[in-house]
Amino acid sequence: MKSITVLLLIFGYISASQAAVSLTVDGLKATLKNKHVELNFNANAQIITAKVDGTSLQARGASSFYLDWNNNGQGYFHPSSIHIVEQTADRVHFYWLQKNIQKVFRIELHYIMEAGLNGVYSYAKYTNDKTYNLTLAETRTVYRFDASIMSQGTNQQRSGILPTTKELNQCTTIQDNTWKFPNGTYYTKYDYVAYLRQTNYQGVYGNGFGAFIISPSREYHGGGPLKQDLTVHQECLITNYFVSSHFGTPPTVAAPGWNHIYGPWLIYFPTGNNNAIMSSVVKQVTTEQSRWPYAFVKDDEYPRTRGQVSGKVHGQKSATVVLWSSLDEDFDKQQLGYLYSAETDSTGYYIITNVRPGTYRIAAYPTAGSGSDSLAESRVTLAAGAREHVALTLNEPKNIIWSLGQANRLSNEFKYSDQPRNYKWATLLPVNLNFTIGSSDPKQDWYYAQPPGHWSIKYQDTADGKGRILRVALAAVSRKPHLQVFVNGHRVGNIYYGNDQSVYRSAMNSGTYYSNVFNVSAAQVVSGENSVSIYMTLGQIMYDVISLQRG
Ligand SMILES: *[C@@H]1O[C@H](CO)[C@@H](O)[C@H](O)[C@H]1NC(C)=O
Ligand SMILES: *[C@@H]1O[C@H](CO)[C@@H](O)[C@H](O)[C@H]1NC(C)=O
Ligand SMILES: *[C@@H]1O[C@H](CO)[C@@H](O)[C@H](O)[C@H]1NC(C)=O
Ligand SMILES: *[C@@H]1O[C@H](CO)[C@@H](O)[C@H](O)[C@H]1NC(C)=O
């Protein structure tokens, strides 16, 4: 009995010392290491070497693990001090601090390494410590690895071989980060854009190694449920955007005193063959979700006691529910707060868990039917650990005569909308088009986007002395579209939009959403064939749904 105890003690001691995590700080330089991973950082918190099981994975001659921002020009994180939060054999937690730079946020960039894990956690805390508003067009962290080791990329929605800079240098440049290969196919970094709030991991892998960003929660990003952003791209690069103005979201404007925690995320280094790497990543996502909110973050801006909001959305078959804390911002444009979303199930029920205590706006929008202008909204205040119920009602418009697509803020019922993002699809759109209700097929005969040109919908109707309500909901507006909408030759709509930069950057389903509801007078309705025509002279748009209702 006694000898067993001694043996156990010795065994315990040996395994603890082998697995221990260590931090060495030299001025502003730091080395963080455990049994599998060794990270050497320079004084700007950028990586010098990143080794996994003794193999160097860092990109050669390129900056990596950097934090930067764009605000009419690129700026890089420039810390002035380093602070250790926790240092034991099991866990090291430290951060670099940047402050007192004109027109730039106070930023803490944290790293947390645990003894047994093939990876390192990171998060950033931004504070406006100035007396004036601070702005950001975008901010992110960027990780570059050795493209000769890891040539595959994935963002969960899409996987493939990422081209190298050398390959792209032999191609024709078409536009911003978009190339045409000698065989006529296109590649753009926007091919690997994803809906962030539906993405738990993005990474690169190959030859026995992988490097992934695992995001168990996306509560801290700017933008709404359909926020899209870059994830991985050419030359073995992983981007981790906190906020950006890509695909139609506005810049961040933060008032004095504002602060926000972006993250934590896990930078995970699985090893093995490609299948082993991918199953390890999927498993790790579940582990990280079960650890969220992380106990190692001890900050008032990251409350650990969370609540939940659930309830029913009545009146509509399916809906998206959005819960957001920045009360002065619309959810799809929000940049300053925390945002959650959920889909209703077949009974209309939704549940959002792990919600920070606070006061929220809560809204539901339809993901079925024709009520493209429907939006139900309420407010809810959640105490730490509380469970609140919020019921919302979305009414489906009655007397719909026909509908092309369904209200869901996406162009996903139309031709090419199911294709992987690529520049080529926008080059295949017809300039002029006739669609006949009843005989044409939305999936074949109507396209996910319209370029300048004349698209018409023909349908049978009867002059019955009543007007009509025509809904033309747009899922995206790119390059400043100008649309004129005609019913039987009468102009019922004339609208101009800005540029959400989505259609020409390979978005296939959405950009910025706009609802339009036009009145058609009784005198404009004819018996027999009628037509709705959309004539565009400038820009590109995506359609969500077009429908006609008896008034
Ligand atoms: C075209 O060339 C690129 C770059 O070499 C390659 O990745 C792609 O698979 C090729 N596509 C076809 C259809 O041949
Ligand atoms: C400062 O930012 C806040 C939003 O955070 C905004 O309401 C206010 O108008 C801004 N003030 C100026 C002077 O831009
Ligand atoms: C659409 O139909 C109109 C007649 O209603 C015709 O003049 C036009 O050429 C047709 N356009 C296309 C692209 O078929
Ligand atoms: C459309 O008609 C309704 C009902 O007559 C009216 O309340 C509304 O203001 C009209 N909208 C427009 C854009 O003319």
Side-chain angles (χ1 to χ4, degrees):
M1 191 67 194
K2 203 173 179 183
S3 62
I4 290 170
T5 312
V6 170
L7 264 176
L8 279 176
L9 280 172
I10 291 170
F11 180 75
Y13 172 76
I14 290 169
S15 62
S17 70
Q18 276 180 346
V21 53
S22 72
L23 171 69
T24 316
V25 173
D26 170 14
L28 288 175
K29 294 187 219 156
T31 298
L32 188 56
K33 113 187 185 190
N34 68 15
K35 196 166 102 183
H36 298 290
V37 180
E38 179 178 335
L39 303 173
N40 290 288
F41 293 92
N42 68 19
N44 280 322
Q46 297 189 7
I47 211 80
I48 302 167
T49 58
K51 285 187 189 165
V52 174
D53 292 338
T55 299
S56 292
L57 298 183
Q58 78 277 0
R60 289 177 206 145
S63 299
S64 184
F65 281 60
Y66 61 86
L67 184 154
D68 72 347
W69 55 85
N70 202 298
N71 185 26
N72 296 321
Q74 197 173 15
Y76 287 92
F77 185 60
H78 189 66
S80 54
S81 57
I82 202 162
H83 303 261
I84 298 172
V85 178
E86 184 180 351
Q87 190 168 19
T88 68
D90 294 327
R91 185 189 293 130
V92 166
H93 178 173
F94 75 104
Y95 66 93
W96 279 278
L97 175 64
Q98 161 188 289
K99 60 176 189 179
N100 300 333
I101 304 181
Q102 279 282 338
K103 297 187 179 168
V104 175
F105 290 85
R106 176 192 193 275
I107 299 174
E108 295 175 6
L109 178 59
H110 290 248
Y111 282 95
I112 299 95
M113 187 180 268
E114 294 186 342
L117 186 61
N118 284 20
V120 63
Y121 295 97
S122 185
Y123 68 93
K125 182 177 185 184
Y126 283 50
T127 304
N128 181 353
D129 61 346
K130 305 297 185 294
T131 54
Y132 45 88
N133 278 0
L134 288 175
T135 61
L136 286 170
E138 66 175 49
T139 188
R140 60 182 184 173
T141 52
V142 176
Y143 309 89
R144 293 171 190 265
F145 295 98
D146 188 335
S148 70
I149 300 176
M150 299 181 288
S151 58
Q152 309 266 339
T154 181
N155 62 15
Q156 192 169 349
Q157 293 156 38
R158 179 181 195 155
S159 305
I161 296 190
L162 298 173
T164 60
T165 307
K166 200 173 150 196
E167 282 173 86
L168 294 175
N169 284 344
Q170 284 147 30
C171 298
T172 315
T173 302
I174 303 291
Q175 59 176 31
D176 146 55
N177 274 278
T178 304
W179 295 269
K180 191 173 190 176
F181 287 114
N183 65 14
T185 64
Y186 297 97
Y187 166 80
T188 156
K189 70 174 181 180
Y190 302 106
D191 289 354
Y192 281 84
V193 162
Y195 288 107
L196 282 190
R197 296 182 195 274
Q198 298 165 21
T199 306
N200 301 119
Y201 63 80
Q202 65 228 49
V204 292
Y205 57 106
N207 285 308
F209 293 93
F212 287 77
I213 303 296
I214 292 181
S215 304
S217 168
R218 298 285 192 176
E219 65 179 20
Y220 49 84
H221 291 277
L226 295 177
K227 174 58 186 170
Q228 307 166 77
D229 229 319
L230 296 157
T231 57
V232 293
H233 63 69
Q234 66 270 11
E235 198 63 31
C236 208
L237 184 149
I238 313 176
T239 61
N240 182 37
Y241 276 86
F242 308 158
V243 297
S244 81
S245 44
H246 291 135
F247 302 92
T249 33
T252 300
V253 182
W258 175 89
N259 69 94
H260 196 80
I261 284 187
Y262 296 106
W265 57 91
L266 171 65
I267 308 157
Y268 185 52
F269 298 107
T271 53
N273 65 33
N274 289 351
N275 287 340
I277 283 173
M278 288 318 303
S279 56
S280 169
V281 168
V282 169
K283 194 162 155 250
Q284 200 65 33
V285 166
T286 310
T287 304
E288 299 311 324
Q289 285 172 336
S290 71
R291 295 187 69 186
W292 184 276
Y294 291 110
F296 56 71
V297 185
K298 295 183 177 71
D299 192 305
D300 290 345
E301 190 52 28
Y302 188 80
R304 291 211 45 243
T305 307
R306 302 295 180 97
Q308 102 183 15
V309 179
S310 63
K312 270 206 169 185
V313 179
H314 300 281
Q316 188 47 268
K317 187 162 80 175
S318 64
T320 295
V321 179
V322 196
L323 184 69
W324 73 108
S325 69
S326 46
L327 306 178
D328 296 331
E329 296 181 300
D330 290 335
F331 65 76
D332 53 346
K333 306 270 165 64
Q334 76 87 26
Q335 299 291 331
L336 297 171
Y338 298 90
L339 182 142
Y340 307 86
S341 65
E343 306 304 313
T344 57
D345 68 12
S346 59
T347 69
Y349 178 76
Y350 70 90
I351 180 163
I352 301 173
T353 57
N354 267 325
V355 181
R356 298 156 163 262
T359 295
Y360 290 87
R361 285 169 74 180
I362 182 167
Y365 65 83
T367 53
S370 299
S372 52
D373 47 334
S374 303
L375 185 72
E377 202 187 311
S378 186
R379 284 204 182 196
V380 58
T381 296
L382 191 68
R387 295 174 172 213
E388 296 293 339
H389 292 270
V390 180
L392 295 160
T393 301
L394 288 171
N395 289 318
E396 176 64 11
K398 295 196 169 46
N399 304 321
I400 295 292
I401 300 170
W402 54 261
S403 180
L404 181 51
Q406 293 207 41
N408 62 358
R409 303 190 172 214
L410 300 170
S411 67
N412 66 325
E413 302 89 349
F414 307 128
K415 191 164 183 169
Y416 302 142
S417 64
D418 55 350
Q419 296 299 316
R421 292 168 192 261
N422 192 265
Y423 179 79
K424 85 169 168 193
W425 304 113
T427 69
L428 301 177
L429 300 168
V431 170
N432 297 314
L433 174 76
N434 286 323
F435 185 95
T436 305
I437 298 292
S439 59
S440 303
D441 174 6
K443 197 94 232 167
Q444 286 308 318
D445 305 321
W446 193 261
Y447 294 73
Y448 79 102
Q450 179 180 348
H454 199 162
W455 287 20
S456 282
I457 302 163
K458 298 180 196 294
Y459 58 97
Q460 298 299 313
D461 205 348
T462 306
D464 55 5
K466 291 199 168 87
R468 302 285 184 260
I469 297 165
L470 174 69
R471 289 181 170 79
V472 180
L474 304 178
V477 295
S478 298
R479 290 208 163 110
K480 304 192 173 178
H482 175 209
L483 284 79
Q484 297 181 76
V485 181
F486 297 88
V487 175
N488 296 328
H490 306 282
R491 193 167 81 174
V492 298
N494 181 32
I495 28 181
Y496 295 83
Y497 287 107
N499 182 7
D500 66 11
Q501 306 181 328
S502 66
V503 178
Y504 60 91
R505 284 180 170 173
S506 302
M508 303 303 296
N509 281 192
S510 66
T512 302
Y513 174 77
Y514 289 98
S515 149
N516 292 294
V517 182
F518 303 117
N519 285 342
V520 179
S521 71
Q524 292 168 342
V525 179
V526 300
S527 290
E529 188 176 88
N530 288 245
S531 71
V532 166
S533 298
I534 295 146
Y535 180 57
M536 276 176 59
T537 48
L538 289 172
Q540 299 163 311
I541 60 171
M542 285 188 210
Y543 291 102
D544 167 17
V545 60
I546 306 176
S547 69
L548 191 72
Q549 181 183 14
R550 186 167 290 114

